[in-house]
Amino acid sequence: MTEPTTGVTRTLTLPQAEPSGWPKFRAWALRTPFVQVVVLVALSALLVATIPAFLVRPQAAIAVLTIAALLALASMGQTLVVIIGGLDLAVAGYITFGAMIASNATSRLGWPVPFAFLVVMLVCGAVGASVGWLCQRFRIQPLVMTLGVGAMLTGGSMFLASGDYNGQPPAELRALAQLNGTTFGLPFPPVIAIVAVLGLALWLFLAKTASGRRLYATGVNPVAANFARVRTSVVWTSVFAASGALAGLAGMFIAAFGAGWSQAVGDPYLFAGLAAVLVGGTTFGSVHGGFTRTALGALILTVLSTLIVSRGLSEAQGRIVYGIIILAVVALYGRERHVRDRF
């Protein structure tokens, strides 16, 4: 009589037959951002049909691209954190700090713009690195620690600015993000090109380097990654440092785009940034996640937001729509990895 475990062992050791037809197409669609591209094209077509001015006024399309670029930059570090299986709720605090430095330190203290960029990235990166190391070293849930750190950064920004929200970024910084800016003579703000270059660099890092593979390995199975001599503590420290630095950088551009800052300037980007990551198809510990997906998610949410505003829906109704979309995407992508990707 055959042992009960024989069939199970055979299914684990023998090569599986290649799927064909619909299962093959579905597997390919989940491995690639095919679904996101289709949704983006459909929403863009609906937007043009609803607001024909997008065809005759290029400035409207540039505004959508600029807002999407800012959201994508704010989500860039969160993408890396989600890939390793974490969550960074301090993003709003980093953005607030960056926006405060861009508005107050440059105008009130006379800091040069390059020096302000350096300070923001160093401070936010150092805070993020400390968070990542502590969470990994002492097995602390990043959800809890980053929530507290975000509140401390927001409060610290208000303390350093003495509650002064009247500062404005200098003209050279505003020119990088405002809609009337130009890039090498082309009629779009440089922030779009900056985010595109950073996104390309991040794609090359994740797809073409050994460090990128270590990052994916840490998210898929940290125990196996440790056995493979991946220094997961270094990965966590580096990823949270990058998340802090990139979010702080996004805060400076957001202040330049809006010509100022406030206590709540980073709050919308916490929820929308995480939504962009998840809508793009990057799930926790995902082996298929990346910034390309997040950029598509940011474009989808920006186009969707424009449609919601054009239809006269309230912010609460818009959040309901976002929540439904996130649940649908997680249901689509969250079922795939537990068996096939982890083992």
Side-chain angles (χ1 to χ4, degrees):
M1 186 173 179
T2 306
E3 291 291 331
T5 57
T6 303
V8 176
T9 305
R10 185 179 295 111
T11 61
L12 294 174
T13 56
L14 293 179
Q16 300 295 308
E18 280 290 327
S20 60
W22 169 250
K24 183 177 182 180
F25 173 78
R26 182 178 181 275
W28 172 81
L30 292 178
R31 287 196 308 270
T32 63
F34 172 78
V35 175
Q36 285 74 19
V37 171
V38 170
V39 171
L40 179 60
V41 170
L43 287 176
S44 300
L46 181 59
L47 180 63
V48 171
T50 304
I51 311 175
F54 273 88
L55 292 178
V56 296
R57 293 181 58 193
Q59 196 72 8
I62 291 173
V64 170
L65 288 175
T66 303
I67 295 171
L70 293 173
L71 177 57
L73 181 58
S75 311
M76 192 176 289
Q78 187 77 273
T79 302
L80 299 176
V81 174
V82 170
I83 287 175
I84 66 170
L87 189 63
D88 192 352
L89 297 184
V91 166
Y94 296 129
I95 291 175
T96 302
F97 179 79
M100 184 274 293
I101 294 294
S103 301
N104 282 37
T106 53
S107 61
R108 306 293 186 188
L109 303 179
W111 287 8
V113 171
F115 180 70
F117 273 114
L118 181 62
V119 169
V120 167
M121 296 189 71
L122 286 178
V123 171
C124 293
V127 172
S130 301
V131 170
W133 183 82
L134 288 170
C135 287
Q136 201 279 337
R137 176 66 178 81
F138 297 104
R139 299 295 187 269
I140 302 173
Q141 278 291 335
L143 177 70
V144 177
M145 177 165 282
T146 56
L147 185 62
V149 168
M152 290 173 59
L153 284 167
T154 300
S157 299
M158 295 173 60
F159 173 78
L160 291 174
S162 300
D164 182 5
Y165 301 119
N166 295 319
Q168 289 191 352
E172 57 184 308
L173 181 55
R174 293 200 304 270
L176 297 177
Q178 293 194 337
L179 298 180
N180 57 2
T182 59
T183 305
F184 301 115
L186 299 175
F188 62 87
V191 67
I192 296 177
I194 292 170
V195 173
V197 171
L198 288 174
L200 177 61
L202 184 57
W203 175 80
L204 290 172
F205 169 77
L206 290 174
K208 304 297 181 181
T209 67
S211 297
R213 291 191 289 273
R214 294 188 189 100
L215 192 150
Y216 281 115
T218 300
V220 169
N221 194 322
V223 176
N226 279 321
F227 280 121
R229 297 189 177 182
V230 174
R231 299 177 66 184
T232 54
S233 60
V234 173
V235 173
W236 271 68
T237 302
S238 303
V239 164
F240 275 87
S243 179
L246 290 169
L249 181 64
M252 296 191 70
F253 285 120
I254 290 168
F257 178 75
W261 77 290
S262 67
Q263 175 187 352
V265 66
D267 291 348
Y269 290 90
L270 174 59
F271 178 77
L274 181 58
V277 175
L278 298 177
V279 168
T282 298
T283 53
F284 296 97
S286 171
V287 295
H288 302 312
F291 182 68
T292 303
R293 290 176 174 272
T294 298
L296 287 170
L299 282 168
I300 289 171
L301 292 180
T302 304
V303 173
L304 182 62
S305 297
T306 307
L307 281 169
I308 288 173
V309 171
S310 68
R311 292 292 184 180
L313 297 180
S314 66
E315 181 182 355
Q317 291 170 317
R319 287 180 176 270
I320 292 173
V321 174
Y322 282 2
I324 292 172
I325 292 174
I326 291 173
L327 289 174
V329 171
V330 171
L332 179 64
Y333 288 93
R335 302 167 53 200
E336 291 294 308
R337 68 181 181 87
H338 297 292
V339 173
R340 189 168 63 198
D341 291 342
R342 284 187 179 271
F343 299 97

